[in-house]
Amino acid sequence: MTTGLLVLRLIAGLLIAGHGVQKASHLLGGTGLAGGAREFREDGFRGGRLTALAAGAGQIGSGLFLAAGLLTPLAATAAVGVMTVALTVKWRNGLWVQHDGYEYPLVLIAVAAALSATGPGTWSLDQALGLTPWPGWWAPVAVAAGLGSGLLTRAVLHRPAPGVPVPVAHETPGRGPGPTPTDGTPQEA
């Protein structure tokens, strides 16, 4: 089990960190901070460079801490948070990754959640520093806080795409809310 947790931590953690490096630099095939900012703007997020830098730093930090097995529940919280934002971006494309779906962020969320539940294993910095075992209540707290922070980030920083009408109900006097006309013609009572 120790070897399995080490492999899981290294693969998932380094992949998460690699995505952060791509957002913030030209390494690993990244488009640099300007490219990361452009990607976030194209996905409907505010903040440009600051958003790309924060997301990149969150992915690098959480990924490296997961890979090292250091402060594992907190690293899992951050990984679940950044991957939840990624999942919300991919959601409209469905599950499967070949259609740019949310399959990959979902797998990374599941791995981070599992590591928060199992702990990092014997070959970890948490173990070397005497921080394990983490109390069992950390796993649900880490997952809930990660999901909550990811959804809050989406709610605060995402804006509707320009040109997409936002439906608004109107009221017909004496009848309450009714359907909004789509052709601009007034509705009859």
Side-chain angles (χ1 to χ4, degrees), residues 23-85:
K23 279 184 182 55
S25 74
H26 292 281
L27 298 174
L28 305 178
T31 56
L33 198 51
R38 183 175 50 256
E39 178 184 342
F40 275 102
R41 280 193 306 273
E42 288 170 358
D43 287 335
F45 285 86
R46 299 173 237 250
R49 287 181 183 263
L50 183 59
T51 301
L53 188 60
Q59 288 176 319
I60 292 167
S62 66
L64 292 179
F65 273 51
L66 274 181
L70 178 60
L71 303 175
T72 303
L74 298 176
T77 300
V80 168
V82 294
M83 289 297 111
T84 296
V85 174

Side-chain angles (χ1 to χ4, degrees), residues 80-81 84-85 87-88 144-157:
V80 168
T84 296
V85 174
L87 186 146
T88 67
L147 291 171
S149 68
L151 294 173
L152 181 62
T153 299
R154 169 72 181 215
V156 169
L157 294 179

Side-chain angles (χ1 to χ4, degrees), residues 42-129:
E42 288 170 358
D43 287 335
F45 285 86
R46 299 173 237 250
R49 287 181 183 263
L50 183 59
T51 301
L53 188 60
Q59 288 176 319
I60 292 167
S62 66
L64 292 179
F65 273 51
L66 274 181
L70 178 60
L71 303 175
T72 303
L74 298 176
T77 300
V80 168
V82 294
M83 289 297 111
T84 296
V85 174
L87 186 146
T88 67
V89 170
K90 306 288 186 183
W91 185 264
R92 69 181 178 272
N93 300 324
L95 175 63
W96 302 113
V97 74
Q98 59 263 55
H99 300 292
D100 198 28
Y102 60 89
E103 173 186 4
Y104 182 66
L106 180 62
V107 168
L108 292 176
I109 289 168
V111 168
L115 287 171
S116 73
T118 63
T122 305
W123 297 335
S124 67
L125 288 179
D126 279 352
Q127 178 71 28
L129 296 171

